Amino acid sequence: MELFEQLRLGYAAGETIKSLAKKHGIHRRMVRQAITSAIPPDRKKTFRQQPKLGPLKEHIERMLEADRQAPRKQRHTAHRVWTRLREEHPELLVAEPTVRRYVGQRKRELGLNGREVFVPQSYHWDQEAQVDWFEAVAKLGGERRKLQFFAMRSMASGDAFHRAYTNATQQAFLEGHEHAFAYFDGVFGTLRYDNLASAVKKILRGRQRVETERIIAFRSHWGFKSEYCNPASGNEKGGVEGELGWYRRNWLVPVPEAEDLESLNQRLLAACVASRSRTISGRDITVAEACRMEQPHLLPRAEESFGIHETLYPLIVDGKGRVKVKTNWYSTPLWPGLRVTARVWPSLIGIEHDGKCVARHPRHYGRGHQILNLEHYLDVLEKKPGAMAGSTPLEQWRQAGRWPECLDRIWKKLDERHGKSGGTREMITLVRAGLGGGWDRLIRAVEEALRLGVSDAAAVLHILHMPDADERKRYALALSEELAQFERPQPVMDQYDLLLATPPYGKAVIQ
């Protein structure tokens, strides 16, 4: 542009075209172009030969053409195209940046780059909340577990609720809603979902969906409206999608640790409350202030909670005192052949008979497993004491840490004192006492009895029901002296056998 200006000024001052070309070292054709127009003409792009990429273009085109029929998330990236070319045509070496530029250009031309233009959205108070699941890892009791996290985000305030479950079942989905409504202290007018199986049975044309009966009843109970995204269109609920990433990076890194799922959910709830102190980019108020402004616009919560559990009836108790619920077996204290009702919650199984709950178990999501409680078999074991040592319920208690080594030691002493059957029945007496008066207290009582060398169930029960150690010290009571009354030697019957002896000649000797 500066050169054209100098040429035009020189020509206006009287210089010839030839002199200007010689002066600036250019062709006379360019001088004439400058005289004609002050704006230089566009330069023609020279076509550069591509000796390395050229022979490979046909192979790249075949890969990209195959991507037209492939799922969106299983199409070739530029790096994958380059690695395939390197593997399939090692004799034709080409740099990865060269392949990247060409693949990017061809994807734009073929419409395979997946880039879309999104329109920013604004939301009024109580207009919409978005719901989704995401997966993350946590340590529960020292064991790494892959968990499913329920999330609900208010689009107006930016506040969000998160809760962890072992499995993303329909019961967990409904329970997550109720906990979220309690967290927000109200119900949103519209909830937006993707097409998850817990809510949608069939996708029809457009926005129409065939919903599950439970979702319809749940929505009617709480009074909100539901909307669903188009398939494979997570951008239609981009608010909660972005929230999942933010929450995972800020509160699930490093991997959280807790004793159990309930303790983990308490930590997650505390993290949700703490997140209210932040200010979202582009806003002037904190999330907590926005929540207070939005809450009066929410729908009131229902006075009664919705029955989120699933009811299964009739179920028959089998010959081993078990009931099959879903895909697993759970023990009951009932006789075989009885009909029972099972109520299924996200993490709990309840078994009822004649309107009374007779058994509760943590829900197992495997297949063909037995979840047995030794307490349910005590009546049977009193009649069949020989079956207790090798019983599966006892083995499950050992694996769960509910049957420590001290109980086996006292059991062995009871067997030595009363025989196998009698010792097992005495052990069952102790188990019943521990279940009724506190299992941890029974363990401490057994350990104390073993320390004092006691081998009688009555003595263990005495320790179980006696005051604690501090109270005993105040009264200066000696435990060993109290227990001495229980440790009596077995009677010797040899002297009594003499009374049964027959005197000589069949006559008694009278003195």
Side-chain angles (χ1 to χ4, degrees), residues 474-491:
R474 288 198 299 268
Y475 293 99
L477 298 178
L479 180 60
S480 58
E481 295 179 2
E482 288 189 24
L483 298 178
Q485 57 180 317
F486 299 104
E487 291 299 314
R488 298 176 181 175
Q490 296 292 328

Side-chain angles (χ1 to χ4, degrees), residues 6-7 9-20 23-24 35:
Q6 294 175 11
L7 294 174
L9 291 175
Y11 185 76
E15 296 185 55
T16 64
I17 296 177
K18 183 177 181 180
S19 63
L20 288 172
K23 177 180 178 182
H24 294 281
I35 295 172

Side-chain angles (χ1 to χ4, degrees), residues 54 63 89 106 162 208 219 229 268 301 427 440 487:
M63 296 181 196
H89 304 280
R106 291 298 296 144
H162 299 263
Q208 297 180 355
R219 186 181 64 206
C229 302
L268 296 180
R301 296 166 55 194
M427 192 66 209
D440 293 337
E487 291 299 314

Side-chain angles (χ1 to χ4, degrees), residues 202-274:
K202 187 176 182 181
I203 301 175
L204 303 179
R205 181 176 298 179
R207 300 284 181 175
Q208 297 180 355
R209 302 290 185 271
V210 178
E211 298 175 296
T212 61
E213 294 181 358
R214 297 281 292 168
I215 288 296
I216 295 174
F218 184 79
R219 186 181 64 206
S220 176
H221 178 84
W222 289 100
F224 63 88
K225 298 179 181 178
S226 57
E227 293 185 359
Y228 297 93
C229 302
N230 287 316
S233 299
N235 58 283
E236 295 184 7
K237 52 179 180 61
V240 70
E241 294 282 355
E243 168 65 27
L244 304 186
W246 183 90
Y247 192 85
R248 185 187 288 112
R249 293 188 298 271
N250 286 273
W251 296 109
L252 300 181
V253 177
V255 175
E257 300 184 25
E259 294 182 2
D260 51 30
L261 189 63
E262 186 60 32
S263 301
L264 176 63
N265 280 323
Q266 292 177 2
R267 291 184 54 185
L268 296 180
L269 180 60
C272 293
V273 175

